Amino acid sequence: MANTSVSTLLVILFWGLTLATGRKLSPLSTTTTLSSSPSDGICLSMVMPQGKTCEEHLVTTQDGYILNLARIRIRESRGPPVLLQHGLFMDGITWLLLPSNQSLAFLLVDNGFDVWVANTRGTKFSRQHTSLPSNSSDYWNWSWDELVAHDLPATFKYVHDLTGQKMHYVGHSQGTLIALAALSQDQLLNMLRSAALLSPIAYVGQLTSPLAKNAAENFIAESLYNLGIFEFNMRGDSVIKFLKDLCNNTGIDCTNLLTSFTGQNCCLNPSIVNVFLDHEPQSTATKNMIHLSQKKEPLQCLIMRTEMRT
């Protein structure tokens, strides 16, 4: 009971501090903001220290977003490509957080696969655009529909064209949603060998995360959007430092905090919390959160709400 109460208080505090750090974005500007470069990516920070060969690639989508794509492989490997697509509030580093003998990306590389790690638009290493700065409202004017229509096809085509091979696909959470949507329309099938979908979210009405359920049921994303907060950012230096100090110095098992976000999880342990907070959570569009929260409702409710807004 005490652990549950502490966890609930931490979540409320984290959520309040997060909303307090939210900022309104500027109108559309013609200035291009380049917030990261290939030399400042997953390869340098997470892969090369493990002694692996890694390359940073930039993929431009049809609507102008420039996505970072890391390629990890054993030198001269000709194994089949595997594309790893992360979920909501994550980036490609999620596949590398565990020790190298437990992280899926490294395990695949060690078994001869040509591993490609995707980073969705708006995350740390994919905040570039051909014309939009990442602090503009227009930059954040997208939901998972655009990930289906633009990000996934551009990434598939890039990997397929460069390797000359069909690929295996591993998606987690939102990465399963966009794959299901694209594949249901017969997109990308000619470039695919297989698909493994982890924690699929075709519908999210059975969520076990109390924080996610509360946010959806109380239309938190809609409220933020109406306030002019178009980047849904749960990361702030002061918040992360506070949580690390709390977890390190109070004896609290902060896996309870992560469980409030993820729901019950078999594999969380206290040792991963600091590593997780070093890199995650990542931003997404507030519009994306609105769209995702609608997936728990009956179709007729969605139609009614859409008609009311138009």
Side-chain angles (χ1 to χ4, degrees):
M1 185 69 177
N3 280 343
T4 302
S5 300
V6 168
S7 177
T8 302
L9 289 171
L10 286 174
V11 170
I12 292 171
L13 178 59
F14 186 33
W15 190 255
L17 288 170
T18 296
L19 297 184
T21 63
R23 60 186 184 279
K24 294 186 178 182
L25 303 179
S26 62
L28 174 60
S29 165
T30 57
T31 305
T32 301
T33 300
L34 301 180
S35 59
S36 64
S37 65
S39 62
D40 178 29
I42 286 177
C43 287
L44 193 62
S45 61
M46 298 294 289
V47 179
M48 290 178 178
Q50 299 292 333
K52 308 291 186 183
T53 300
C54 188
E55 308 161 3
E56 301 278 357
H57 296 255
L58 296 178
V59 181
T60 303
T61 67
Q62 196 172 41
D63 56 346
Y65 289 82
I66 301 172
L67 312 178
N68 179 281
L69 189 60
R71 184 184 195 181
I72 314 170
R73 55 178 175 161
I74 298 173
R75 193 175 299 277
E76 307 302 329
S77 171
R78 296 293 297 171
V82 181
L83 176 63
L84 303 181
Q85 176 61 58
H86 61 82
L88 185 67
F89 299 140
M90 303 293 166
D91 63 359
I93 282 177
T94 191
W95 303 105
L96 305 163
L97 290 177
L98 294 173
S100 60
N101 63 345
Q102 298 177 36
S103 292
L104 180 61
F106 291 136
L107 289 171
L108 289 169
V109 169
D110 290 342
N111 281 275
F113 290 94
D114 182 4
V115 176
W116 295 78
V117 180
N119 292 278
T120 297
R121 64 179 67 187
T123 56
K124 179 179 180 181
F125 302 117
S126 294
R127 293 177 74 93
Q128 301 181 39
H129 192 279
T130 55
S131 62
L132 303 176
S134 61
N135 66 342
S136 71
S137 58
D138 279 43
Y139 177 91
W140 296 99
N141 185 26
W142 53 268
S143 78
W144 59 267
D145 269 347
E146 282 69 34
L147 306 186
V148 174
H150 300 301
D151 286 34
L152 199 63
T155 304
F156 262 58
K157 187 176 187 304
Y158 188 90
V159 172
H160 179 263
D161 290 353
L162 198 64
T163 63
Q165 298 187 62
K166 292 184 177 183
M167 71 198 74
H168 299 285
Y169 178 84
V170 181
H172 172 245
S173 188
Q174 182 177 257
T176 71
L177 175 63
I178 60 176
L180 287 168
L183 298 175
S184 69
Q185 301 174 41
D186 292 332
Q187 296 181 35
L188 316 179
L189 286 174
N190 62 328
M191 294 181 277
L192 190 65
R193 292 173 185 255
S194 69
L197 306 181
L198 310 177
S199 303
I201 57 166
Y203 297 97
V204 295
Q206 303 300 316
L207 278 174
T208 59
S209 163
L211 185 60
K213 290 177 70 173
N214 181 272
E217 290 168 357
N218 290 283
F219 306 108
I220 296 298
E222 283 93 336
S223 299
L224 294 176
Y225 193 87
N226 291 334
L227 289 171
I229 299 174
F230 303 113
E231 177 184 357
F232 197 96
N233 180 14
M234 295 201 300
R235 188 173 184 84
D237 290 343
S238 58
V239 177
I240 299 300
K241 183 179 186 305
F242 170 79
L243 290 175
K244 280 190 173 184
D245 290 345
L246 193 69
C247 295
N248 289 336
N249 301 324
T250 62
I252 294 173
D253 181 356
C254 282
T255 55
N256 289 324
L257 175 63
L258 293 185
T259 300
S260 297
F261 287 91
T262 66
Q264 290 301 313
N265 192 308
C266 69
C267 308
L268 289 177
N269 60 71
S271 66
I272 198 176
V273 173
N274 273 351
V275 180
F276 176 86
L277 291 174
D278 280 337
H279 303 283
E280 317 289 1
Q282 292 289 321
S283 291
T284 189
T286 304
K287 184 177 177 180
N288 188 40
M289 294 302 298
I290 295 172
H291 196 176
L292 285 168
S293 65
Q294 290 172 341
K295 288 186 64 59
K296 66 182 286 294
E297 300 174 339
L299 180 59
Q300 60 267 29
C301 292
L302 298 184
I303 294 172
M304 288 174 61
R305 288 176 62 191
T306 302
E307 288 175 346
M308 289 173 63
R309 286 175 181 157
T310 56

Short mmCIF file of all heavy atoms in Angstrom, two decimals, residues 199 201 203-214 217 256 258-266:
data_model
loop_
_atom_site.label_atom_id
_atom_site.label_comp_id
_atom_site.label_asym_id
_atom_site.label_seq_id
_atom_site.Cartn_x
_atom_site.Cartn_y
_atom_site.Cartn_z
N SER A 199 3.94 -5.76 -27.95
CA SER A 199 2.94 -4.92 -27.28
C SER A 199 2.09 -4.17 -28.30
O SER A 199 2.03 -2.94 -28.30
CB SER A 199 3.63 -3.91 -26.35
OG SER A 199 4.42 -4.56 -25.39
N ILE A 201 -0.77 -2.25 -30.37
CA ILE A 201 -1.80 -1.33 -29.89
C ILE A 201 -2.74 -0.96 -31.03
O ILE A 201 -3.01 0.23 -31.28
CB ILE A 201 -1.21 -0.07 -29.25
CG1 ILE A 201 -0.28 0.68 -30.22
CG2 ILE A 201 -0.49 -0.40 -27.97
CD1 ILE A 201 0.07 2.08 -29.75
N TYR A 203 -5.84 -1.27 -30.84
CA TYR A 203 -6.80 -0.54 -30.02
C TYR A 203 -6.20 -0.43 -28.62
O TYR A 203 -5.49 -1.33 -28.19
CB TYR A 203 -8.14 -1.26 -29.97
CG TYR A 203 -8.80 -1.37 -31.32
CD1 TYR A 203 -8.67 -2.53 -32.07
CD2 TYR A 203 -9.52 -0.30 -31.86
CE1 TYR A 203 -9.25 -2.63 -33.34
CE2 TYR A 203 -10.10 -0.39 -33.11
CZ TYR A 203 -9.97 -1.56 -33.85
OH TYR A 203 -10.53 -1.64 -35.09
N VAL A 204 -6.48 0.66 -27.92
CA VAL A 204 -5.84 0.87 -26.62
C VAL A 204 -6.85 0.90 -25.47
O VAL A 204 -6.56 1.41 -24.40
CB VAL A 204 -4.99 2.16 -26.63
CG1 VAL A 204 -3.84 2.03 -27.59
CG2 VAL A 204 -5.85 3.38 -26.98
N GLY A 205 -8.02 0.33 -25.70
CA GLY A 205 -9.03 0.32 -24.65
C GLY A 205 -8.68 -0.54 -23.46
O GLY A 205 -9.29 -0.41 -22.40
N GLN A 206 -7.68 -1.45 -23.60
CA GLN A 206 -7.31 -2.34 -22.50
C GLN A 206 -6.01 -1.90 -21.81
O GLN A 206 -5.33 -2.70 -21.19
CB GLN A 206 -7.13 -3.77 -23.05
CG GLN A 206 -8.35 -4.33 -23.74
CD GLN A 206 -9.55 -4.39 -22.82
OE1 GLN A 206 -9.43 -4.80 -21.69
NE2 GLN A 206 -10.71 -3.98 -23.33
N LEU A 207 -5.66 -0.63 -21.91
CA LEU A 207 -4.44 -0.14 -21.28
C LEU A 207 -4.42 -0.43 -19.79
O LEU A 207 -5.43 -0.28 -19.10
CB LEU A 207 -4.34 1.38 -21.47
CG LEU A 207 -3.78 1.91 -22.79
CD1 LEU A 207 -3.89 3.43 -22.81
CD2 LEU A 207 -2.34 1.50 -22.97
N THR A 208 -3.25 -0.84 -19.29
CA THR A 208 -3.09 -1.06 -17.86
C THR A 208 -2.33 0.08 -17.19
O THR A 208 -2.15 0.07 -15.97
CB THR A 208 -2.34 -2.38 -17.59
OG1 THR A 208 -1.06 -2.34 -18.24
CG2 THR A 208 -3.13 -3.56 -18.13
N SER A 209 -1.85 1.04 -17.95
CA SER A 209 -1.12 2.18 -17.40
C SER A 209 -2.11 3.18 -16.80
O SER A 209 -2.90 3.78 -17.53
CB SER A 209 -0.29 2.87 -18.49
OG SER A 209 0.10 4.17 -18.07
N PRO A 210 -2.08 3.38 -15.48
CA PRO A 210 -3.03 4.33 -14.87
C PRO A 210 -2.83 5.75 -15.37
O PRO A 210 -3.79 6.50 -15.52
CB PRO A 210 -2.75 4.21 -13.37
CG PRO A 210 -1.39 3.60 -13.26
CD PRO A 210 -1.22 2.73 -14.47
N LEU A 211 -1.57 6.16 -15.62
CA LEU A 211 -1.32 7.51 -16.08
C LEU A 211 -1.89 7.72 -17.48
O LEU A 211 -2.54 8.73 -17.77
CB LEU A 211 0.18 7.80 -16.09
CG LEU A 211 0.59 9.23 -16.45
CD1 LEU A 211 -0.01 10.21 -15.47
CD2 LEU A 211 2.10 9.35 -16.48
N ALA A 212 -1.67 6.75 -18.38
CA ALA A 212 -2.17 6.88 -19.75
C ALA A 212 -3.69 6.88 -19.77
O ALA A 212 -4.31 7.67 -20.50
CB ALA A 212 -1.62 5.73 -20.60
N LYS A 213 -4.31 6.02 -18.97
CA LYS A 213 -5.78 5.97 -18.94
C LYS A 213 -6.35 7.28 -18.42
O LYS A 213 -7.32 7.81 -18.96
CB LYS A 213 -6.24 4.80 -18.06
CG LYS A 213 -5.98 3.43 -18.67
CD LYS A 213 -6.39 2.31 -17.73
CE LYS A 213 -7.90 2.23 -17.58
NZ LYS A 213 -8.30 1.04 -16.80
N ASN A 214 -5.74 7.82 -17.36
CA ASN A 214 -6.23 9.07 -16.80
C ASN A 214 -6.08 10.21 -17.80
O ASN A 214 -7.00 11.04 -17.94
CB ASN A 214 -5.45 9.39 -15.52
CG ASN A 214 -5.91 10.68 -14.87
OD1 ASN A 214 -5.42 11.76 -15.19
ND2 ASN A 214 -6.85 10.55 -13.95
N GLU A 217 -8.80 9.73 -20.58
CA GLU A 217 -10.18 9.93 -20.13
C GLU A 217 -10.47 11.38 -19.76
O GLU A 217 -11.63 11.82 -19.82
CB GLU A 217 -10.44 9.01 -18.92
CG GLU A 217 -10.49 7.53 -19.30
CD GLU A 217 -10.47 6.61 -18.10
OE1 GLU A 217 -10.36 7.13 -16.96
OE2 GLU A 217 -10.52 5.38 -18.29
N ASN A 256 8.25 1.39 -9.54
CA ASN A 256 6.84 1.71 -9.36
C ASN A 256 6.44 2.92 -10.21
O ASN A 256 5.33 2.99 -10.74
CB ASN A 256 6.55 2.01 -7.89
CG ASN A 256 6.61 0.77 -7.03
OD1 ASN A 256 6.23 -0.30 -7.48
ND2 ASN A 256 7.11 0.90 -5.81
N LEU A 258 7.91 3.85 -13.11
CA LEU A 258 7.86 3.44 -14.52
C LEU A 258 6.62 2.60 -14.79
O LEU A 258 6.02 2.69 -15.86
CB LEU A 258 9.12 2.67 -14.90
CG LEU A 258 10.43 3.47 -14.89
CD1 LEU A 258 11.58 2.60 -15.40
CD2 LEU A 258 10.32 4.73 -15.72
N THR A 259 6.22 1.79 -13.82
CA THR A 259 5.03 0.96 -14.01
C THR A 259 3.79 1.83 -14.17
O THR A 259 2.85 1.44 -14.86
CB THR A 259 4.87 -0.01 -12.82
OG1 THR A 259 6.02 -0.84 -12.74
CG2 THR A 259 3.64 -0.88 -12.99
N SER A 260 3.80 3.01 -13.56
CA SER A 260 2.66 3.91 -13.73
C SER A 260 2.53 4.36 -15.18
O SER A 260 1.44 4.69 -15.65
CB SER A 260 2.83 5.14 -12.83
OG SER A 260 2.83 4.75 -11.48
N PHE A 261 3.65 4.38 -15.91
CA PHE A 261 3.61 4.72 -17.33
C PHE A 261 3.34 3.50 -18.18
O PHE A 261 2.58 3.55 -19.15
CB PHE A 261 4.96 5.33 -17.75
CG PHE A 261 5.18 6.71 -17.24
CD1 PHE A 261 5.81 6.92 -16.03
CD2 PHE A 261 4.76 7.82 -17.95
CE1 PHE A 261 6.02 8.19 -15.53
CE2 PHE A 261 4.96 9.10 -17.47
CZ PHE A 261 5.60 9.29 -16.25
N THR A 262 3.98 2.36 -17.86
CA THR A 262 3.96 1.21 -18.76
C THR A 262 2.85 0.22 -18.44
O THR A 262 2.53 -0.63 -19.27
CB THR A 262 5.30 0.45 -18.68
OG1 THR A 262 5.45 -0.12 -17.37
CG2 THR A 262 6.48 1.37 -18.97
N GLY A 263 2.28 0.28 -17.23
CA GLY A 263 1.46 -0.82 -16.75
C GLY A 263 2.36 -1.90 -16.20
O GLY A 263 3.59 -1.75 -16.13
N GLN A 264 1.77 -2.99 -15.76
CA GLN A 264 2.57 -4.07 -15.19
C GLN A 264 3.59 -4.58 -16.19
O GLN A 264 3.28 -4.79 -17.36
CB GLN A 264 1.66 -5.21 -14.74
CG GLN A 264 0.80 -4.88 -13.53
CD GLN A 264 1.65 -4.50 -12.32
OE1 GLN A 264 2.61 -5.19 -11.98
NE2 GLN A 264 1.29 -3.41 -11.64
N ASN A 265 4.81 -4.75 -15.75
CA ASN A 265 5.91 -5.08 -16.64
C ASN A 265 6.77 -6.15 -15.98
O ASN A 265 7.19 -5.99 -14.84
CB ASN A 265 6.74 -3.82 -16.93
CG ASN A 265 7.72 -4.01 -18.05
OD1 ASN A 265 8.50 -4.94 -18.05
ND2 ASN A 265 7.69 -3.10 -19.02
N CYS A 266 7.06 -7.19 -16.73
CA CYS A 266 7.80 -8.33 -16.17
C CYS A 266 9.26 -8.02 -15.92
O CYS A 266 9.90 -8.65 -15.08
CB CYS A 266 7.72 -9.53 -17.12
SG CYS A 266 8.66 -9.30 -18.66
#
